Amino acid sequence: MGIYLPVAEISVNLLVLLAMGGAVGFLSGLFGVGGGFLITPLLIFYNIPPAVAVATGANQVVASSFSSALSHFKRATIDVPLGLVLLAGGMAGSAIGVFIYGWLKARGQLDLAISLLYVVFLGVVGSLMLVESVQALWRKRAGRPPELRRGGQHNWIHKLPWKMRFRRSKLYVSILPVLGLGAAIGLLAGVMGVGGGFIMVPALIYLLKVPTNVVIGTSLFQITFVAIFTTIIQATTNQTVDIILGLLLMIGGVIGAQYGVKVGQRLQGEELRAMLAVLIIVVALRLAFNLFVTPDGIFTVID
Amino acid sequence: MRCLRAIAPLSVVALGGALMLMQAAQAQEAPEPAVAQADPPAADAGEASPREEITIGLSSDVIEIATDFTGMDLTIFGSVNNPRADSIATGGYDVIVVLEGPPRPLIIREKKRVLGMWVNADSMSFDDVQRSYVLASTGALQDIATDELYRQLALGVDQRFFAPANPREASWRVEAFSAALKELKERDGLYHEGTGDVRFLSQSLFKASLAIPSNIPLGTHRARAFLFKNGMFLDEDSTGLYVTKDSFEQWLFRQSQQNGFLYGLVAVLIAMLTGWLGRLMFRRD
C-alpha cells in the first residue's frame, strides 16, 4: 500500500509507517517514555529526509504527550505554575533550536548534525541506562535492598536568586534553573524533534527535588506545549512538517501504546530498562555506521 | 493515465493540421502559418520556392500528472512545410525536438571524508539551471549538424552551460561542479538525449517521443523543434507546455510552503485530536 508524503516528497508504504508508529508506541507504553528519540532514527533508516523526520517528530510528540497529559490533568498531578515557568524557558529554547536547525539546513550540515546529535545522545543515555539497570539487577540477585538515592535537601541550585514558591511541588526555588532546564528541553525539541522527557524527568527529581507524584504530569504538560510551539514554528520557518507522515505515526503510536502498557505491567522494571538500553545503543550504532559508509554519490543537488 | 488520454485527440488534431498544410504547400500559395519564426520570409517568396519551415502542435498545453506518476513518452507531432521533392528523396531532413524544463537556481554539494565520516564539505550555487532537458532526434546528433552549429543554437545536453551565482568562482571549480551536475541530471533521466526518437511518418509529417521521467519538474516547459537539412539549420518552432500535479498531496505541499503558520496550526490540531481520540477509545486512566 503506497502513499505519497507531500513534504518529504517520497512514496512510502503505508503499512510500514503504521507499523513503525505502532512499534514505537508499544515501546513508549512499555517503558513509559515518549519514544520521539526512536522515531526519528527509524524514519532516517526508512530514507525519510532527516530534516522532515525531526520536524514531523515534534508534531507526533504533540499527539502522544497530549494524550497522557490529559490523564494527569484529570488526576491533578500537574504543577501548573512550575510547568508554565518550564514552558517559558522551553519556548525560548525551541525558538533557538529551530533557528539553529534552519541555519544548519542552509549550510547543508543539518542531516549530519542530526545524526551526530542522535548518536551522542542515544549512546550516552543508552549506556547510562544499561549500567544502572545491570547494577540494579545484580543488587537484586545478591538480595540487597534497592539503593535509595536521596541527595542532601539543599544543593547549589537552592542558593540562586529569584526564588519562587510552587505550592503543589512544595518547593521554594530560584526560577533560573527551571527556565534553564525548560530551555534545554526546548532546544532538543527544535533541533532533534524529541519531547525530552528522558532528560526532564531525572532533572526534575534529582536537581530540583520535585516530588515524584507531580514529576511526570508536569513534564508532560511542558512537553505538550513545547511540541505544539515547535511544530508551528518549524512549519512557519522551515516548512518541513509532513502532516500525512505525522498522522500515520500518531495513529500507529496511539494503538501501539495501549498494548505496551499492558505488557509492561507484567514485566519487571530492571529487565525492561536493560532491554530498552540495549535497543537504544543498537540504534545509535546503526546511525553512526551510516555516517562512515561511502554514499551512492558524493554530489547532491538541492533544487 | 490522464496524459495518455490527452495524446489520442492530439494526434488527430495535429494530423489534420498537417494535411491542410501539405495541401496548402501543393497549391503553391501557402499563407504564412501563424508560427514564431527566427527569420523574416524571403522577399522573393512569390514565384521562387517558399521557405522550408517546421511546425509543431500540442492538443493541450497542460499536462496533469498524478502523484504515482512513473514517467511517460510525450508524443509531439509536427510537420515540415514546403518540403523540396529532392530533399525528401535523399532523406535530407533532420528534426530535433527538445522539451526544456523551467530554469531555477540550485545548489550542488560535494561530500568529502572528514575523520572518516562523509560530510558536505563544498558546494556551489548556480543561477537559472534548466531543471530538465529532454531531447529527441531523427539520428545521432553528430550526424545531423556540427558542434559549432549546436553551440550557436545552444542545442543538446553537451551545450548546457551553467552560470554560477558568484561570477568570481574559479573556472576549474565551475567546470567540475557543472560536470557533476550534468551527470546527476542524466542519471535521474532529467537530461536525456533520445537518439532516433523522432520518426517521419510521411514525407513531411513527423512524430517525436520524449522520454518524460517520473520526477519531471512542475511548471512551464518549452517544447522546441529544430529543422536541419544536410547539416544546415533551417527553421525553429516552439510552444509552451505547463506541467502540473493537481492532487490533494500537491495541494497540501503548496499549503505547507505558502501558508506555513496555518499549516502548522492544523498539524497541531490533528495531533491533539488524534491523542484525545486515542484516549477516548482506549480509556487508559
Side-chain angles (χ1 to χ4, degrees):
Chain A
M1 280 245 288
I3 186 165
Y4 182 79
L5 304 177
V7 174
E9 292 184 75
I10 59 166
S11 284
V12 291
N13 190 312
L14 181 96
L15 299 176
V16 169
L17 280 184
L18 281 175
M20 219 179 250
V24 173
F26 180 80
L27 291 173
S28 72
L30 188 62
F31 298 111
V33 292
F37 61 94
L38 286 175
I39 286 233
T40 304
L42 281 180
L43 291 178
I44 294 173
F45 297 153
Y46 195 45
N47 287 329
I48 307 281
V52 176
V54 162
T56 309
N59 190 17
Q60 188 267 339
V61 167
V62 174
S64 60
S65 56
F66 179 67
S67 176
S68 314
L70 277 176
S71 312
H72 284 274
F73 194 76
K74 253 191 171 169
R75 283 184 267 148
T77 47
I78 298 176
D79 185 334
V80 174
L82 179 63
L84 287 175
V85 178
L86 282 169
L87 179 58
M91 301 218 287
S94 163
I96 296 168
V98 173
F99 175 78
I100 294 172
Y101 169 108
W103 187 84
L104 287 167
K105 190 164 175 259
R107 271 152 198 78
Q109 303 301 340
L110 181 63
D111 295 2
L112 174 74
I114 290 170
S115 288
L116 279 177
L117 276 173
Y118 268 94
V119 167
V120 170
F121 265 84
L122 296 179
V124 169
V125 170
S127 306
L128 287 175
M129 270 179 74
L130 188 64
V131 169
E132 187 268 339
S133 54
V134 168
Q135 278 177 347
L137 277 172
W138 274 341
R139 269 198 305 276
K140 217 165 89 179
R141 197 164 295 174
R144 269 177 284 164
E147 206 173 278
L148 273 175
R149 287 227 249 160
R150 275 261 161 237
Q153 218 45 39
H154 288 271
N155 53 21
W156 58 272
I157 278 170
H158 295 260
K159 295 192 182 103
L160 292 169
W162 294 317
K163 292 204 172 186
M164 193 172 156
R165 193 170 297 283
F166 299 104
R167 293 186 152 269
R168 190 163 275 168
S169 302
K170 301 184 187 70
L171 273 184
Y172 183 60
V173 70
S174 160
I175 61 166
L176 288 179
V178 182
L179 286 174
L181 176 62
I185 303 295
L187 201 66
L188 290 182
V191 182
M192 297 174 74
V194 296
F198 62 103
I199 291 174
M200 176 85 105
V201 170
L204 287 178
I205 294 175
Y206 298 119
L207 288 176
L208 297 178
K209 316 278 184 209
V210 176
T212 44
N213 61 326
V214 294
V215 161
I216 308 251
T218 309
S219 157
L220 280 167
F221 173 85
Q222 191 259 8
I223 287 169
T224 304
F225 284 101
V226 167
I228 288 172
F229 181 75
T230 307
T231 305
I232 290 175
I233 52 173
Q234 283 285 25
T236 311
T237 58
N238 296 313
Q239 290 122 21
T240 39
V241 177
D242 197 308
I243 285 189
I244 304 277
L245 174 61
L247 184 62
L248 291 175
L249 295 176
M250 290 167 205
I251 293 171
V254 164
I255 296 168
Q258 315 306 320
Y259 296 98
V261 170
K262 276 178 199 148
V263 175
Q265 283 159 352
R266 275 183 267 132
L267 289 175
Q268 292 202 306
E270 290 83 4
E271 276 109 10
L272 270 180
R273 282 210 302 282
M275 275 160 53
L276 179 62
V278 171
L279 180 74
I280 289 174
I281 291 170
V282 169
V283 170
L285 287 176
R286 181 72 183 75
L287 265 183
F289 177 73
N290 277 2
L291 293 173
F292 295 92
V293 174
T294 309
D296 288 342
I298 59 170
F299 289 98
T300 42
V301 170
I302 293 103
D303 281 321
Chain B
M1 220 186 292
R2 273 205 173 103
C3 19
L4 284 182
R5 267 195 279 128
I7 288 168
L10 159 73
S11 60
V12 176
V13 171
L15 270 167
L19 286 172
M20 272 164 55
L21 286 166
M22 276 153 59
Q23 282 163 355
Q26 279 163 1
Q28 285 286 313
E29 42 184 34
E32 263 308 304
V35 166
Q37 243 176 251
D39 304 311
D44 56 345
E47 283 304 307
S49 49
R51 262 171 50 95
E52 296 140 294
E53 286 158 352
I54 190 167
T55 312
I56 51 169
L58 294 166
S59 68
S60 160
D61 47 12
V62 176
I63 297 186
E64 202 177 301
I65 58 178
T67 36
D68 57 352
F69 180 63
T70 53
M72 66 165 200
D73 282 329
L74 173 70
T75 307
I76 296 178
F77 286 97
S79 68
V80 177
N81 311 327
N82 315 318
R84 308 279 151 79
D86 55 333
S87 300
I88 293 169
T90 56
Y93 290 114
D94 279 306
V95 170
I96 299 178
V97 180
V98 180
L99 187 69
E100 296 178 351
R104 293 273 186 281
L106 62 74
I107 302 172
I108 176 164
R109 298 191 194 284
E110 182 184 10
K111 283 195 173 70
K112 286 182 181 148
R113 261 209 141 113
V114 178
L115 302 170
M117 293 181 298
W118 288 93
V119 173
N120 283 328
D122 201 355
S123 70
M124 189 172 289
S125 301
F126 287 102
D127 288 333
D128 292 345
V129 174
Q130 268 155 359
R131 295 191 65 186
S132 62
Y133 189 86
V134 180
L135 179 149
S137 61
T138 43
L141 288 194
Q142 63 264 34
D143 297 342
I144 296 176
T146 59
D147 279 352
E148 180 54 34
L149 188 51
Y150 288 136
R151 195 168 305 127
Q152 285 168 15
L153 295 168
L155 179 59
V157 171
D158 284 349
Q159 304 302 330
R160 302 294 97 209
F161 293 102
F162 310 124
N166 175 6
R168 287 195 302 267
E169 288 279 10
S171 63
W172 65 270
R173 269 171 54 83
V174 176
E175 275 166 35
F177 276 103
S178 294
L181 176 55
K182 211 176 274 185
E183 207 180 298
L184 278 179
K185 290 276 190 191
E186 284 179 314
R187 198 188 65 188
D188 293 344
L190 287 168
Y191 281 19
H192 174 77
E193 287 185 354
T195 301
D197 287 351
V198 177
R199 284 190 300 113
F200 272 93
L201 303 175
S202 71
Q203 291 183 343
S204 61
L205 186 70
F206 63 84
K207 174 190 164 200
S209 297
L210 293 151
I212 305 297
S214 62
N215 49 355
I216 182 81
L218 306 182
T220 306
H221 292 241
R222 186 133 209 95
R224 302 172 71 188
F226 298 82
L227 178 64
F228 296 85
K229 183 168 84 171
N230 304 328
M232 301 272 288
F233 169 64
L234 293 179
D235 190 31
E236 181 192 338
D237 185 24
S238 71
T239 177
L241 177 68
Y242 189 71
V243 178
T244 173
K245 212 184 231 183
D246 198 13
S247 62
F248 174 65
E249 289 93 336
Q250 188 58 26
W251 178 82
L252 264 184
F253 175 74
R254 269 205 310 278
Q255 296 310 310
S256 79
Q257 304 298 303
Q258 292 163 6
N259 302 317
F261 177 73
L262 214 65
Y263 178 93
L265 220 55
V266 171
V268 164
L269 287 177
I270 289 176
M272 291 172 82
L273 193 70
T274 314
W276 178 70
L277 278 177
R279 198 172 147 269
L280 268 191
M281 280 160 68
F282 296 99
R283 281 264 161 232
R284 253 199 281 178
D285 45 340

